[in-house]
Amino acid sequence: MKKLIIYSILGVMLLSVTSCYKADNWDAPSVRVHGRVIDSYTGENLLSSQNDWSIRIWERSWTASEPTNQNLPVKQDGSYNNSKLFAGTYDMLPYGGPFWPVTDTVKNVAFNGTTEQDFTVTPYLQLLDFETRLEGTNLFMSCRLKAPIRTGLPNLVEVKPFLSLTTFCGAGANSNIDIGEYSNKRIQINKSWQDEVGDSETSNVYTIGPLPVKAGYTYYVRLGANVNDANRKYNYTEIVRVDVP
Amino acid sequence: MKKRLLAYIALLGTLVFSQCRQLDLEPKGIMGEPELFGTEYGVKMYFTGLYNWLPIEDFQYYANDGYRRNDWATEKNSQGAMSGEYFNTWISVDNDGFGYWPYDRIREVNNFIQSFPNYKDKFPDETFNKLLGEAHFLRAYFYFGMAKRYGGVPIVTEVQNPLAGPEVLNVSRNTEYDTWKFIHDDLQFAIDNMSDDTKETGRANKYVAAALMSRAMLYAGSVAKYTESLGFKATELATQQGLAGMEPSQANEFFEYAVAAGKVVETGPFSLYNKHADKATNFASLFLDASSPETIFVKEYNRNSPRGNALQHNYDALMSPAPDMSSFVGAESFVPLDFMELYDMPAYTNPDGTPVRFDNRGDIRDGMEPRARGTMYLDGDELRGKTFSIQRGIYRTFDGVATDIQRGVNSAPINSNGNRILGGKGWTTEINGVTYTITGAHGNFEDQGGENNAFGSAFIRKYINPDMPTADVRDWRSDQSWVVFRLGEVYLNTAEALYELGQREEAFDYIAKIRERAGAKVVRPAIDMTMTNIGSINKANYTYSLEKSLQFIRDERQRELYAENHWWWDIRRWRTADQILNNFRQRLLSCYYVADEGKYIYLDEDNRFNRQWNASKSCYYEPIPWGEIGKNNNLLPQNPLY
C-alpha cells in the first residue's frame, strides 16, 4: 500500500515535470555582433573600463511599436561582443562614453550570422606620460592631460586614481578598490580647460598620492579623468601592474 | 413525500423567477454621483480618498519604493537614509524610482471637476467655489509629485473614455515648462476660490494651496536655472524637446510665482512657533504641538484607527535606541558630522591642533546652536527617563594633535599598540587598577551592527515624542502628525527665490527671522557676493558658481529642515546631487575618554563601514515608467540617460 502511494506520487511528480516540456516554436537568439571602438587619435582601441558604457542598438525589423534600445556593454579592451541576438536589421550608436557625442547613428545594419561593426570615436581627453612610483608602501601616480579639441569642451571635473587587485581596473570594474583613502586623493578641478590649463593643448603633470598599498600584493592601477558632459565617464591611462615588495 | 418535495421546488421556482423583475434596483449600499457630489459631506468623503494618496513624503515613505508603504521598516528605507542625510542602513540612490504614475487619482479629480457643475444649484456660490478650488489643489499636488520626478508629463484634464481609440488615449508628454505652468494655474485657481478658514485640520484651504505653490514654483525655478549646467542638451532628445529641462530665461517667472505665493501665506493666521523660552525645546516642540501657529498643513495619524490603513507609524520605535528608549527594534539613524557642523558648534579642536579636553562628554552641547539641540539628542540629554550615553572608546594617553588619528584607522601610530581601546557592548578594561566601561550605554559598539549603536555622537530628536512611555514605544504605536507645510519652510522658499531674483536684503530679512527663532549666534550675516563653486556638504565641487550668500541660504534650509525629507529634492533641483553624493563618505564625531588625564575628547573620523553615497546625473529625472511606454509610444522620447 505504502509503495503504491509512493509510486503514484512519484508518477504524478514525473508527469508534472515532463508536462512542462514543450519545444519553443522560435529559435533561440544566436546571431553574433562584435567589433571595436577605435580612438581616432591613436587608431587603437579606446581605453575603457568594464561596464562603463554601451553601444545602443534598436531593432528596426520590429515594426509593431517603437523599439526601445538594448545595450551592448563595451569591455575594458575597447571591444564589444554579443552572440545571443535575434537576426534582423538594427540601428547602432556608441552612447554615453567619454568622447564627443556621436550623432550619426549607423542605420540598418543586418545582423545575420556574424556581423562585425567598428566605430571610431573622438575622446574628450588623452592621458599622457603615465608614471607610477613606489615609496615604501605608498604609491604615487602621475600623468598629463591633453585636449586636442578645446572648443566647446565641457569643464574638467577630476583626475582620479583607480586601484584593483585583479587585471580589471577602472570605474566600472567590480574589483575596483573603492575606499576613502583612495577616492579622497582624487584631484577635483571643476574648471574650464582655459581656466585650469590656459591656451596650451597639454596640461602640467598631475600627481596623485600617497596612496597606501600593502606589502606583498600585486596591484593593477591607472588614472582616469573626466569632463562635465551628461555622462561624466572617464578617459583612462593604460593599466600598469605594480608589485609591492 | 416525493410529491411534497416537488411542490416545494415548484413554489421556490416561482418565487425566484417572480423576484427577478425587481432585481434591477439601485443598490442601497453604494453611493452614486448625486449623493457624493450633491452634498458637502458627500464631496468630503470623495476627497478623503484622494487626500490619503497625496504624494507626501512622510513617515511612511520608502525612498525607492513609494508612498504609504505600511511596513514597520520604513525608517530604515527613508529618504534621509538613501541620500546620505543619516548614517543608516546603506540604501543607494535608485534612479529608476518606483514608477509613480497617479493618473488613476487624477482621473477621479477630473471626474469631479467635470461633473460637479451639474450640482451647482445645490450649493451656495461660496461653498461651490471652495470645493471646486479644493479639487484643483488636489490635482496640482498629484502633478507636482510627477513633475519633480519626470519633468514634462501628459496633462490630462478630461475624463477619458476607456473605449476611445488609441489616437485619443495615447497622449503625448507636455513640455516641462507647460507642466509646471499647469501646476501654477491649478494652484492659482485654488488660491482664488478656496476659503481662508483654517479650522479643519488635515484639509486644504487657500493658504495650503499657496504653500504648495511656494514649494513647487521654487522647484521649477531652480530646474529652469540650473538644468543647463548638466550638459544634457548636446545629446539628449528629451532635453532638446523641452520635456526634461527648461531654459535659464524661464527661471525668474517661477521664482516670482514662489515669492507671490509666500506673500499669500503671510496674510494667513500663522507665525513662527515661539511658545517655550528654551529655544532647543521650542524647536523640538513645534513638530509635536497640535496647536502650533506655524503649522499650515498636516497629514494626520491615529493609533486607534484599524490596522492596515497606514494611519499609524513607527517613528519613535525606530529612531530611539532600544531597550532604554524603545521597546522595538530601535534606532538606526544617526547624524553625521557633515550635517552637525552646519550649525554653530563648540570648538573641539584647539588652534594648535590638539583636541579640546572636556570634563564631561555632554559638554559638547555647550555653545551648540539651540536648533541643533532641538534636532538631535546628544550625550547627557534625557528621553523617557533615561540619559543618552555615547562614547566610542578610550585612549590610554593622547599625546598629539587630532589629525594623528589619520581619520580613525587602526594603523595610525596613536591608535596602535593598545593605546586606543575599542570594545563591544558592556565590555570593560582595566587601566592601572581602575576598571572602565569602554563604550557608552548607547554605543559605539565594535561587536554590533547598525541597530542601537550610536555611530557618531547623535540620535535624531526631531519628531520624537518624549511623552510616550518606553514600554509603549513599539511598532505602529506612533501617531504624531506629519507637518507637510509650515511657515518656516515658506520663509526659506521666499528667501531663496528673492535671492535668486537679486533681492538680497529682502531675502535675508526672512533668514534673520528663521535664525532668531533658532537661537543662532549671528542672526543676520553680512551679504557676501563672492562667487564660489564649492558647497558645504562633502565640499562638493558644483558645476556652476553661485554667490556665497546663496550657498548660506541653501545651508540655512538644511539646518532648519534637516530630517524633514526636503534634502534630496533640494539637491536634485539645485542639480548638485551628483557632486554632493560623489564618493560622499560621511564623517562621524566620535567621543573618547583619555584615561591618564580623566578627560574627554571629540575626534573627526571616517565611518567605520566605509559607506559611501554616489549619484549619477541620471538621478535628476526618473525614467517614464517603461510599462507605460510599452502601452503608449507617444510618451517617447525617454528621459535623459536611460
Side-chain angles (χ1 to χ4, degrees):
Chain A
M1 185 63 197
K2 218 176 191 177
K3 244 182 195 168
L4 188 73
I5 293 176
I6 289 172
Y7 280 131
S8 37
I9 290 176
L10 266 175
V12 169
M13 282 170 75
L14 210 66
L15 274 172
S16 65
V17 175
T18 50
S19 66
C20 292
Y21 176 77
K22 193 182 171 197
D24 199 335
N25 61 353
W26 197 269
D27 287 336
S30 59
V31 163
R32 174 174 182 226
V33 61
H34 68 106
R36 305 158 58 207
V37 179
I38 300 161
D39 178 337
S40 68
Y41 297 123
T42 62
E44 303 287 324
N45 284 11
L46 182 74
L47 293 163
S48 300
S49 164
Q50 209 76 357
N51 202 24
D52 247 8
W53 61 278
S54 315
I55 308 282
R56 282 193 167 179
I57 59 170
W58 293 263
E59 187 183 349
R60 291 299 172 196
S61 35
W62 170 265
T63 51
S65 65
E66 183 77 18
T68 50
N69 55 285
Q70 305 177 60
N71 299 323
L72 311 180
V74 173
K75 294 192 273 191
Q76 178 164 287
D77 64 1
S79 70
Y80 70 97
N81 178 31
N82 189 322
S83 57
K84 290 277 178 281
L85 288 165
F86 286 111
T89 50
Y90 288 78
D91 290 354
M92 303 183 76
L93 177 73
Y95 174 87
F99 44 78
W100 291 89
V102 180
T103 45
D104 350 323
T105 307
V106 181
K107 306 249 184 202
N108 297 322
V109 184
F111 287 11
N112 195 0
T114 295
T115 307
E116 185 171 356
Q117 177 71 47
D118 294 346
F119 299 94
T120 303
V121 298
T122 309
Y124 288 117
L125 302 172
Q126 289 177 287
L127 282 72
L128 308 175
D129 306 336
F130 179 47
E131 280 175 17
T132 62
R133 174 165 54 89
L134 265 178
E135 286 182 10
T137 54
N138 283 318
L139 177 70
F140 294 82
M141 290 194 258
S142 65
C143 74
R144 292 191 302 145
L145 302 183
K146 181 179 176 186
I149 302 175
R150 294 179 297 287
T151 315
L153 185 73
N155 283 1
L156 293 166
V157 177
E158 62 190 20
V159 184
K160 190 174 175 181
F162 296 93
L163 289 86
S164 169
L165 293 173
T166 74
T167 52
F168 293 103
C169 178
N174 281 337
S175 54
N176 181 40
I177 307 172
D178 195 5
I179 58 175
E181 285 83 342
Y182 297 162
S183 62
N184 291 343
K185 295 279 166 59
R186 70 193 193 273
I187 297 170
Q188 292 186 285
I189 302 170
N190 269 296
K191 287 184 199 147
S192 68
W193 183 273
Q194 183 66 35
D195 290 349
E196 171 70 8
V197 183
D199 292 326
S200 163
E201 186 181 52
T202 311
S203 76
N204 292 330
V205 174
Y206 291 96
T207 303
I208 289 182
L211 305 164
V213 288
K214 291 181 180 170
Y217 281 75
T218 297
Y219 290 84
Y220 295 85
V221 305
R222 74 196 319 189
L223 290 173
N226 60 353
V227 300
N228 186 40
D229 73 336
N231 305 288
R232 283 201 342 215
K233 297 298 180 196
Y234 295 88
N235 287 117
Y236 295 102
T237 66
E238 64 276 24
I239 297 169
V240 165
R241 177 185 162 135
V242 175
D243 295 301
V244 187
Chain B
M1 183 63 200
K2 220 175 188 179
K3 232 182 209 169
R4 197 184 275 180
L5 197 68
L6 269 172
Y8 278 131
I9 291 173
L11 189 68
L12 207 67
T14 359
L15 272 171
V16 167
F17 283 109
S18 61
Q19 291 256 351
C20 281
R21 250 178 290 162
Q22 286 166 34
L23 277 178
D24 189 20
L25 284 174
E26 290 288 334
K28 291 214 165 76
I30 295 176
M31 286 194 280
E33 200 181 281
E35 292 82 9
L36 285 172
F37 292 179
T39 66
E40 197 174 348
Y41 187 70
V43 174
K44 184 176 170 177
M45 286 176 72
Y46 190 77
F47 283 171
T48 304
L50 293 165
Y51 271 99
N52 250 324
W53 284 103
L54 286 182
I56 295 168
E57 289 86 17
D58 61 356
F59 301 113
Q60 288 281 342
Y61 179 64
Y62 253 54
N64 290 329
D65 210 10
Y67 299 96
R68 290 185 49 161
R69 278 285 281 124
N70 216 10
D71 183 332
W72 67 266
T74 323
E75 275 71 21
K76 289 172 181 286
N77 296 276
S78 67
Q79 193 165 274
M82 178 271 271
S83 56
E85 206 177 1
Y86 301 145
F87 188 78
N88 189 301
T89 323
W90 195 3
I91 317 267
S92 50
V93 177
D94 175 7
N95 297 325
D96 289 343
F98 47 89
Y100 186 61
W101 203 248
Y103 281 97
D104 47 353
R105 311 285 162 198
I106 287 169
R107 182 186 173 84
E108 286 171 28
V109 185
N110 286 338
N111 184 35
F112 178 83
I113 292 174
Q114 190 170 303
S115 302
F116 191 50
N118 301 336
Y119 302 89
K120 193 170 192 310
D121 55 340
K122 295 200 189 300
F123 298 91
D125 275 356
E126 200 185 324
T127 311
F128 178 83
N129 291 340
K130 182 179 85 176
L131 295 172
L132 200 57
E134 192 173 6
H136 284 78
F137 161 80
L138 292 167
R139 188 167 68 181
Y141 216 137
F142 288 115
Y143 272 102
F144 175 52
M146 286 196 288
K148 67 183 182 184
R149 292 186 166 82
Y150 306 118
V153 291
I155 297 173
V156 179
T157 56
E158 303 193 332
V159 184
Q160 293 171 318
N161 174 7
L163 299 177
E167 64 284 353
V168 176
L169 293 178
N170 284 356
V171 289
S172 301
R173 291 173 74 182
N174 289 75
T175 63
E176 176 153 18
Y177 176 80
D178 286 347
T179 305
W180 287 109
K181 278 288 276 186
F182 176 74
I183 292 168
H184 167 266
D185 294 347
D186 260 6
L187 288 172
Q188 192 60 53
F189 184 92
I191 293 169
D192 293 341
N193 287 281
M194 291 176 83
S195 82
D196 53 7
D197 182 357
T198 58
K199 282 192 203 72
E200 204 171 348
T201 315
R203 196 165 175 194
N205 50 56
K206 84 182 237 194
Y207 303 116
V208 176
L212 175 58
M213 175 97 104
S214 159
R215 184 187 289 175
M217 293 300 108
L218 182 65
Y219 200 107
S222 313
V223 166
K225 183 160 182 187
Y226 299 112
T227 299
E228 194 182 43
S229 72
L230 298 176
F232 284 168
K233 245 198 172 155
T235 48
E236 299 303 321
L237 208 54
T239 304
Q240 288 161 6
Q241 296 183 3
L243 302 172
M246 293 184 273
E247 297 301 318
S249 60
Q250 292 164 329
N252 283 2
E253 178 185 355
F254 291 113
F255 288 135
E256 279 159 14
Y257 292 149
V259 173
K263 301 281 182 210
V264 174
V265 174
E266 284 176 54
T267 62
F270 309 108
S271 60
L272 290 184
Y273 188 81
N274 253 323
K275 286 194 187 175
H276 301 270
D278 176 55
K279 283 179 182 294
T281 310
N282 185 63
F283 191 71
S285 303
L286 93 83
F287 300 94
L288 304 169
D289 187 341
S291 66
S292 161
E294 180 164 348
T295 301
I296 299 169
F297 183 51
V298 296
K299 180 167 178 180
E300 286 185 295
Y301 285 86
N302 182 351
R303 61 182 280 174
N304 297 318
S305 63
R307 272 283 303 119
N309 290 323
L311 291 172
Q312 305 92 352
H313 57 86
N314 312 288
Y315 192 77
D316 291 278
L318 283 164
M319 298 303 254
S320 314
D324 282 355
M325 300 156 193
S326 163
S327 303
F328 192 55
V329 174
E332 204 176 334
S333 296
F334 314 99
V335 189
L337 176 58
D338 308 79
F339 289 90
M340 288 170 85
E341 65 186 14
L342 289 176
Y343 302 93
D344 298 335
M345 285 274 284
Y348 53 90
T349 310
N350 291 312
D352 63 2
T354 56
V356 172
R357 266 61 177 179
F358 295 94
D359 292 333
N360 304 293
R361 293 189 297 241
D363 292 350
I364 190 77
R365 296 172 298 171
D366 301 339
M368 193 180 270
E369 186 178 307
R371 178 172 48 180
R373 298 201 44 206
T375 304
M376 51 192 148
Y377 282 119
L378 294 129
D379 185 277
D381 285 338
E382 284 185 24
L383 175 63
R384 302 185 182 116
K386 300 274 186 173
T387 305
F388 283 97
S389 155
I390 305 164
Q391 175 176 307
R392 180 155 192 221
I394 297 174
Y395 277 99
R396 288 177 190 276
T397 179
F398 197 96
D399 179 22
V401 294
T403 49
D404 288 347
I405 64 165
Q406 295 175 22
R407 310 222 47 78
V409 296
N410 288 328
S411 55
I414 200 163
N415 294 340
S416 312
N417 300 324
N419 187 43
R420 180 175 77 163
I421 304 160
L422 304 175
K425 191 169 191 171
W427 293 11
T428 57
T429 187
E430 198 181 298
I431 302 171
N432 297 334
V434 186
T435 305
Y436 297 97
T437 306
I438 300 170
T439 67
H442 304 117
N444 182 333
F445 313 122
E446 291 296 301
D447 65 339
Q448 308 273 316
E451 281 165 4
N452 304 308
N453 191 357
F455 292 90
S457 288
F459 289 85
I460 309 289
R461 179 176 184 186
K462 193 175 270 189
Y463 272 119
I464 292 287
N465 177 4
D467 296 333
M468 293 170 86
T470 301
D472 200 28
V473 179
R474 291 198 52 83
D475 47 334
W476 307 114
R477 300 283 175 87
S478 291
D479 63 357
Q480 54 269 49
S481 298
W482 178 262
V483 180
V484 182
F485 297 111
R486 62 183 177 97
L487 189 62
E489 184 214 336
V490 174
Y491 277 175
L492 288 161
N493 296 346
T494 306
E496 189 182 329
L498 281 170
Y499 200 95
E500 292 279 15
L501 289 166
Q503 299 175 49
R504 299 178 179 83
E505 292 295 342
E506 293 86 339
F508 271 80
D509 290 345
Y510 288 96
I511 296 298
K513 288 181 197 177
I514 294 282
R515 289 181 65 77
E516 177 166 18
R517 190 268 301 276
K521 280 190 186 127
V522 181
V523 169
R524 191 188 179 105
I527 288 173
D528 184 352
M529 288 161 65
T530 325
M531 299 296 275
T532 179
N533 72 325
I534 304 296
S536 300
I537 303 290
N538 200 21
K539 297 282 168 275
N541 270 273
Y542 299 161
T543 52
Y544 56 87
S545 294
L546 75 177
E547 291 179 15
K548 281 190 173 164
S549 280
L550 182 57
Q551 180 60 42
F552 185 89
I553 289 176
R554 291 182 178 186
D555 291 343
E556 191 63 36
R557 225 181 136 75
Q558 189 51 16
R559 285 186 277 269
E560 178 76 15
L561 302 177
Y562 182 80
E564 292 180 55
N565 283 349
H566 285 283
W567 159 254
W568 173 241
W569 301 109
D570 284 340
I571 61 178
R572 252 171 132 252
R573 70 183 167 86
W574 293 326
R575 306 310 198 198
T576 56
D578 67 306
Q579 284 296 333
I580 291 174
L581 305 186
N582 178 357
N583 288 111
F584 176 38
R585 192 183 195 197
Q586 291 171 335
R587 296 179 294 126
L588 301 173
L589 187 63
S590 298
C591 181
Y592 290 91
Y593 180 65
V594 183
D596 64 343
E597 300 178 46
K599 303 275 188 187
Y600 296 90
I601 56 175
Y602 277 89
L603 297 169
D604 170 1
E605 297 184 333
D606 280 339
N607 74 67
R608 177 180 109 200
F609 289 151
N610 187 33
R611 285 182 183 163
Q612 303 182 73
W613 275 256
N614 281 293
S616 71
K617 282 188 176 179
S618 33
C619 79
Y620 297 115
Y621 289 102
E622 292 178 11
I624 298 280
W626 289 106
E628 299 299 329
I629 288 180
K631 284 183 272 181
N632 172 11
N633 278 183
N634 290 342
L635 294 172
L636 292 169
Q638 182 54 287
N639 273 338
L641 310 183
Y642 294 104

